PDB file of all heavy atoms in Angstrom:
ATOM      1  N   LEU A  18       4.194  19.488 -14.918  1.00 84.00           N
ATOM      2  CA  LEU A  18       3.843  19.657 -16.326  1.00 84.00           C
ATOM      3  C   LEU A  18       2.824  20.779 -16.504  1.00 84.00           C
ATOM      4  O   LEU A  18       2.965  21.620 -17.407  1.00 84.00           O
ATOM      5  CB  LEU A  18       3.287  18.344 -16.890  1.00 84.00           C
ATOM      6  CG  LEU A  18       2.829  18.375 -18.359  1.00 84.00           C
ATOM      7  CD1 LEU A  18       3.989  18.752 -19.275  1.00 84.00           C
ATOM      8  CD2 LEU A  18       2.238  17.034 -18.757  1.00 84.00           C
ATOM      9  N   LEU A  23       1.501  26.438 -17.989  1.00 91.00           N
ATOM     10  CA  LEU A  23       0.984  27.755 -17.606  1.00 91.00           C
ATOM     11  C   LEU A  23       2.063  28.821 -17.765  1.00 91.00           C
ATOM     12  O   LEU A  23       1.799  29.912 -18.278  1.00 91.00           O
ATOM     13  CB  LEU A  23       0.486  27.727 -16.163  1.00 91.00           C
ATOM     14  CG  LEU A  23      -0.759  26.894 -15.875  1.00 91.00           C
ATOM     15  CD1 LEU A  23      -1.071  26.909 -14.382  1.00 91.00           C
ATOM     16  CD2 LEU A  23      -1.961  27.413 -16.665  1.00 91.00           C
ATOM     17  N   LEU A  28       4.403  33.382 -20.608  1.00 94.00           N
ATOM     18  CA  LEU A  28       5.572  34.013 -21.213  1.00 94.00           C
ATOM     19  C   LEU A  28       5.344  34.341 -22.686  1.00 94.00           C
ATOM     20  O   LEU A  28       5.761  35.407 -23.175  1.00 94.00           O
ATOM     21  CB  LEU A  28       6.791  33.097 -21.063  1.00 94.00           C
ATOM     22  CG  LEU A  28       7.348  32.969 -19.639  1.00 94.00           C
ATOM     23  CD1 LEU A  28       8.450  31.928 -19.592  1.00 94.00           C
ATOM     24  CD2 LEU A  28       7.866  34.325 -19.134  1.00 94.00           C
ATOM     25  N   MET A  49      -1.910  52.944 -33.861  1.00 48.00           N
ATOM     26  CA  MET A  49      -2.741  53.379 -32.738  1.00 48.00           C
ATOM     27  C   MET A  49      -3.558  54.598 -33.121  1.00 48.00           C
ATOM     28  O   MET A  49      -4.728  54.727 -32.769  1.00 48.00           O
ATOM     29  CB  MET A  49      -1.858  53.685 -31.526  1.00 48.00           C
ATOM     30  CG  MET A  49      -1.279  52.454 -30.866  1.00 48.00           C
ATOM     31  SD  MET A  49      -0.260  52.885 -29.445  1.00 48.00           S
ATOM     32  CE  MET A  49       0.239  51.261 -28.873  1.00 48.00           C
ATOM     33  N   ALA A  52      -6.350  53.574 -35.210  1.00 46.00           N
ATOM     34  CA  ALA A  52      -7.428  52.965 -34.423  1.00 46.00           C
ATOM     35  C   ALA A  52      -8.331  54.004 -33.818  1.00 46.00           C
ATOM     36  O   ALA A  52      -9.430  53.707 -33.374  1.00 46.00           O
ATOM     37  CB  ALA A  52      -6.831  52.090 -33.314  1.00 46.00           C
ATOM     38  N   TRP A  57     -13.257  51.422 -37.598  1.00 75.00           N
ATOM     39  CA  TRP A  57     -12.145  50.488 -37.737  1.00 75.00           C
ATOM     40  C   TRP A  57     -12.430  49.548 -38.891  1.00 75.00           C
ATOM     41  O   TRP A  57     -13.575  49.208 -39.168  1.00 75.00           O
ATOM     42  CB  TRP A  57     -11.968  49.648 -36.480  1.00 75.00           C
ATOM     43  CG  TRP A  57     -11.463  50.393 -35.278  1.00 75.00           C
ATOM     44  CD1 TRP A  57     -11.012  51.673 -35.232  1.00 75.00           C
ATOM     45  CD2 TRP A  57     -11.378  49.879 -33.953  1.00 75.00           C
ATOM     46  NE1 TRP A  57     -10.634  52.000 -33.951  1.00 75.00           N
ATOM     47  CE2 TRP A  57     -10.851  50.918 -33.144  1.00 75.00           C
ATOM     48  CE3 TRP A  57     -11.691  48.659 -33.364  1.00 75.00           C
ATOM     49  CZ2 TRP A  57     -10.631  50.758 -31.784  1.00 75.00           C
ATOM     50  CZ3 TRP A  57     -11.479  48.496 -32.007  1.00 75.00           C
ATOM     51  CH2 TRP A  57     -10.943  49.543 -31.228  1.00 75.00           C
ATOM     52  N   PRO A  59     -12.302  45.695 -40.363  1.00 85.00           N
ATOM     53  CA  PRO A  59     -12.459  44.404 -39.678  1.00 85.00           C
ATOM     54  C   PRO A  59     -11.136  43.854 -39.169  1.00 85.00           C
ATOM     55  O   PRO A  59     -11.067  43.294 -38.070  1.00 85.00           O
ATOM     56  CB  PRO A  59     -13.054  43.513 -40.769  1.00 85.00           C
ATOM     57  CG  PRO A  59     -13.787  44.455 -41.663  1.00 85.00           C
ATOM     58  CD  PRO A  59     -12.968  45.706 -41.677  1.00 85.00           C
ATOM     59  N   ALA A  62     -10.212  45.662 -35.974  1.00 89.00           N
ATOM     60  CA  ALA A  62     -11.052  45.238 -34.866  1.00 89.00           C
ATOM     61  C   ALA A  62     -10.605  43.884 -34.323  1.00 89.00           C
ATOM     62  O   ALA A  62     -10.525  43.679 -33.105  1.00 89.00           O
ATOM     63  CB  ALA A  62     -12.508  45.170 -35.324  1.00 89.00           C
ATOM     64  N   MET A  65      -7.358  44.318 -32.386  1.00 92.00           N
ATOM     65  CA  MET A  65      -7.582  44.883 -31.059  1.00 92.00           C
ATOM     66  C   MET A  65      -8.143  43.832 -30.106  1.00 92.00           C
ATOM     67  O   MET A  65      -7.734  43.756 -28.946  1.00 92.00           O
ATOM     68  CB  MET A  65      -8.539  46.071 -31.151  1.00 92.00           C
ATOM     69  CG  MET A  65      -7.963  47.278 -31.843  1.00 92.00           C
ATOM     70  SD  MET A  65      -6.514  47.924 -30.966  1.00 92.00           S
ATOM     71  CE  MET A  65      -5.934  49.122 -32.165  1.00 92.00           C
ATOM     72  N   MET A  72      -3.629  40.010 -23.651  1.00 96.00           N
ATOM     73  CA  MET A  72      -3.281  40.793 -22.477  1.00 96.00           C
ATOM     74  C   MET A  72      -3.927  40.227 -21.217  1.00 96.00           C
ATOM     75  O   MET A  72      -3.302  40.136 -20.155  1.00 96.00           O
ATOM     76  CB  MET A  72      -3.723  42.246 -22.677  1.00 96.00           C
ATOM     77  CG  MET A  72      -3.171  43.219 -21.637  1.00 96.00           C
ATOM     78  SD  MET A  72      -3.895  44.868 -21.822  1.00 96.00           S
ATOM     79  CE  MET A  72      -3.557  45.203 -23.548  1.00 96.00           C
ATOM     80  N   SER A 106      -9.714  26.318 -20.530  1.00 95.00           N
ATOM     81  CA  SER A 106     -10.418  26.879 -21.693  1.00 95.00           C
ATOM     82  C   SER A 106     -11.658  27.643 -21.259  1.00 95.00           C
ATOM     83  O   SER A 106     -11.939  28.738 -21.766  1.00 95.00           O
ATOM     84  CB  SER A 106     -10.803  25.760 -22.664  1.00 95.00           C
ATOM     85  OG  SER A 106      -9.658  25.118 -23.178  1.00 95.00           O
ATOM     86  N   ILE A 111     -14.175  33.213 -20.531  1.00 97.00           N
ATOM     87  CA  ILE A 111     -14.774  34.342 -19.811  1.00 97.00           C
ATOM     88  C   ILE A 111     -13.990  35.619 -20.093  1.00 97.00           C
ATOM     89  O   ILE A 111     -14.567  36.680 -20.371  1.00 97.00           O
ATOM     90  CB  ILE A 111     -14.808  34.057 -18.297  1.00 97.00           C
ATOM     91  CG1 ILE A 111     -15.791  32.925 -17.990  1.00 97.00           C
ATOM     92  CG2 ILE A 111     -15.189  35.321 -17.518  1.00 97.00           C
ATOM     93  CD1 ILE A 111     -17.229  33.220 -18.339  1.00 97.00           C
ATOM     94  N   TRP A 112     -12.673  35.525 -20.065  1.00 97.00           N
ATOM     95  CA  TRP A 112     -11.858  36.702 -20.344  1.00 97.00           C
ATOM     96  C   TRP A 112     -11.879  37.061 -21.828  1.00 97.00           C
ATOM     97  O   TRP A 112     -11.656  38.226 -22.201  1.00 97.00           O
ATOM     98  CB  TRP A 112     -10.432  36.494 -19.851  1.00 97.00           C
ATOM     99  CG  TRP A 112     -10.375  36.616 -18.358  1.00 97.00           C
ATOM    100  CD1 TRP A 112     -10.251  35.608 -17.450  1.00 97.00           C
ATOM    101  CD2 TRP A 112     -10.519  37.829 -17.605  1.00 97.00           C
ATOM    102  NE1 TRP A 112     -10.292  36.120 -16.170  1.00 97.00           N
ATOM    103  CE2 TRP A 112     -10.454  37.473 -16.238  1.00 97.00           C
ATOM    104  CE3 TRP A 112     -10.680  39.162 -17.946  1.00 97.00           C
ATOM    105  CZ2 TRP A 112     -10.550  38.421 -15.223  1.00 97.00           C
ATOM    106  CZ3 TRP A 112     -10.783  40.114 -16.933  1.00 97.00           C
ATOM    107  CH2 TRP A 112     -10.714  39.730 -15.590  1.00 97.00           C
ATOM    108  N   ALA A 150     -13.314  52.311  -9.847  1.00 96.00           N
ATOM    109  CA  ALA A 150     -12.518  51.161  -9.407  1.00 96.00           C
ATOM    110  C   ALA A 150     -12.303  51.190  -7.901  1.00 96.00           C
ATOM    111  O   ALA A 150     -12.346  50.151  -7.233  1.00 96.00           O
ATOM    112  CB  ALA A 150     -11.179  51.152 -10.137  1.00 96.00           C
ATOM    113  N   GLY A 151     -12.072  52.388  -7.359  1.00 95.00           N
ATOM    114  CA  GLY A 151     -11.857  52.510  -5.921  1.00 95.00           C
ATOM    115  C   GLY A 151     -13.082  52.131  -5.114  1.00 95.00           C
ATOM    116  O   GLY A 151     -12.986  51.355  -4.153  1.00 95.00           O
ATOM    117  N   PRO A 157     -19.711  44.612  -1.605  1.00 94.00           N
ATOM    118  CA  PRO A 157     -19.893  43.187  -1.269  1.00 94.00           C
ATOM    119  C   PRO A 157     -19.619  42.268  -2.459  1.00 94.00           C
ATOM    120  O   PRO A 157     -19.117  41.162  -2.279  1.00 94.00           O
ATOM    121  CB  PRO A 157     -21.360  43.116  -0.840  1.00 94.00           C
ATOM    122  CG  PRO A 157     -21.697  44.497  -0.375  1.00 94.00           C
ATOM    123  CD  PRO A 157     -20.911  45.407  -1.268  1.00 94.00           C
ATOM    124  N   ALA A 158     -19.955  42.704  -3.679  1.00 95.00           N
ATOM    125  CA  ALA A 158     -19.721  41.886  -4.871  1.00 95.00           C
ATOM    126  C   ALA A 158     -18.229  41.617  -5.051  1.00 95.00           C
ATOM    127  O   ALA A 158     -17.816  40.484  -5.353  1.00 95.00           O
ATOM    128  CB  ALA A 158     -20.286  42.585  -6.111  1.00 95.00           C
ATOM    129  N   SER A 168      -9.672  31.207  -2.358  1.00 89.00           N
ATOM    130  CA  SER A 168      -9.873  29.918  -1.690  1.00 89.00           C
ATOM    131  C   SER A 168     -10.110  28.815  -2.723  1.00 89.00           C
ATOM    132  O   SER A 168     -11.252  28.345  -2.889  1.00 89.00           O
ATOM    133  CB  SER A 168     -11.063  30.005  -0.729  1.00 89.00           C
ATOM    134  OG  SER A 168     -10.926  31.088   0.160  1.00 89.00           O
ATOM    135  N   ALA A 184     -15.960  20.107 -16.072  1.00 93.00           N
ATOM    136  CA  ALA A 184     -14.731  20.900 -16.058  1.00 93.00           C
ATOM    137  C   ALA A 184     -14.930  22.236 -16.758  1.00 93.00           C
ATOM    138  O   ALA A 184     -14.446  23.277 -16.298  1.00 93.00           O
ATOM    139  CB  ALA A 184     -13.606  20.114 -16.720  1.00 93.00           C
ATOM    140  N   GLY A 192     -13.891  31.585 -13.836  1.00 96.00           N
ATOM    141  CA  GLY A 192     -13.583  32.763 -14.637  1.00 96.00           C
ATOM    142  C   GLY A 192     -14.546  33.904 -14.352  1.00 96.00           C
ATOM    143  O   GLY A 192     -14.149  35.076 -14.318  1.00 96.00           O
ATOM    144  N   CYS A 195     -13.555  35.479 -11.140  1.00 96.00           N
ATOM    145  CA  CYS A 195     -12.334  36.241 -11.375  1.00 96.00           C
ATOM    146  C   CYS A 195     -12.652  37.556 -12.091  1.00 96.00           C
ATOM    147  O   CYS A 195     -12.115  38.612 -11.750  1.00 96.00           O
ATOM    148  CB  CYS A 195     -11.366  35.397 -12.191  1.00 96.00           C
ATOM    149  SG  CYS A 195      -9.683  36.022 -12.237  1.00 96.00           S
ATOM    150  N   PHE A 207      -7.336  51.902 -19.468  1.00 94.00           N
ATOM    151  CA  PHE A 207      -7.600  53.097 -20.257  1.00 94.00           C
ATOM    152  C   PHE A 207      -6.997  54.343 -19.604  1.00 94.00           C
ATOM    153  O   PHE A 207      -6.819  55.360 -20.269  1.00 94.00           O
ATOM    154  CB  PHE A 207      -9.105  53.299 -20.445  1.00 94.00           C
ATOM    155  CG  PHE A 207      -9.739  52.287 -21.363  1.00 94.00           C
ATOM    156  CD1 PHE A 207     -10.653  51.369 -20.875  1.00 94.00           C
ATOM    157  CD2 PHE A 207      -9.418  52.251 -22.703  1.00 94.00           C
ATOM    158  CE1 PHE A 207     -11.235  50.430 -21.718  1.00 94.00           C
ATOM    159  CE2 PHE A 207      -9.990  51.325 -23.559  1.00 94.00           C
ATOM    160  CZ  PHE A 207     -10.909  50.412 -23.059  1.00 94.00           C
ATOM    161  N   MET A 212      -1.542  49.821 -23.916  1.00 85.00           N
ATOM    162  CA  MET A 212      -0.304  49.135 -24.270  1.00 85.00           C
ATOM    163  C   MET A 212       0.891  49.639 -23.457  1.00 85.00           C
ATOM    164  O   MET A 212       2.038  49.486 -23.860  1.00 85.00           O
ATOM    165  CB  MET A 212      -0.028  49.272 -25.765  1.00 85.00           C
ATOM    166  CG  MET A 212      -0.808  48.290 -26.618  1.00 85.00           C
ATOM    167  SD  MET A 212      -0.372  46.567 -26.275  1.00 85.00           S
ATOM    168  CE  MET A 212       1.310  46.518 -26.892  1.00 85.00           C
ATOM    169  N   TRP A 233      -4.346  39.573   4.545  1.00 66.00           N
ATOM    170  CA  TRP A 233      -4.159  41.017   4.693  1.00 66.00           C
ATOM    171  C   TRP A 233      -5.469  41.710   4.337  1.00 66.00           C
ATOM    172  O   TRP A 233      -5.695  42.121   3.219  1.00 66.00           O
ATOM    173  CB  TRP A 233      -3.023  41.489   3.806  1.00 66.00           C
ATOM    174  CG  TRP A 233      -2.587  42.895   4.117  1.00 66.00           C
ATOM    175  CD1 TRP A 233      -2.963  43.651   5.191  1.00 66.00           C
ATOM    176  CD2 TRP A 233      -1.727  43.729   3.338  1.00 66.00           C
ATOM    177  NE1 TRP A 233      -2.389  44.880   5.148  1.00 66.00           N
ATOM    178  CE2 TRP A 233      -1.621  44.965   4.030  1.00 66.00           C
ATOM    179  CE3 TRP A 233      -1.027  43.549   2.155  1.00 66.00           C
ATOM    180  CZ2 TRP A 233      -0.852  46.004   3.545  1.00 66.00           C
ATOM    181  CZ3 TRP A 233      -0.264  44.588   1.677  1.00 66.00           C
ATOM    182  CH2 TRP A 233      -0.171  45.799   2.364  1.00 66.00           C
ATOM    183  N   LEU A 236      -5.732  45.334   2.570  1.00 86.00           N
ATOM    184  CA  LEU A 236      -5.206  45.599   1.231  1.00 86.00           C
ATOM    185  C   LEU A 236      -6.255  46.268   0.345  1.00 86.00           C
ATOM    186  O   LEU A 236      -5.967  47.254  -0.344  1.00 86.00           O
ATOM    187  CB  LEU A 236      -4.722  44.298   0.582  1.00 86.00           C
ATOM    188  CG  LEU A 236      -4.160  44.434  -0.837  1.00 86.00           C
ATOM    189  CD1 LEU A 236      -2.934  45.349  -0.843  1.00 86.00           C
ATOM    190  CD2 LEU A 236      -3.771  43.067  -1.389  1.00 86.00           C
TER     191      LEU A 236
END
Side-chain angles (χ1 to χ4, degrees):
L18 178 60
L23 292 177
L28 289 174
M49 288 180 179
W57 290 352
M65 291 299 171
M72 191 187 306
S106 297
I111 292 297
W112 285 105
S168 307
C195 194
F207 289 114
M212 279 297 292
W233 192 10
L236 179 61

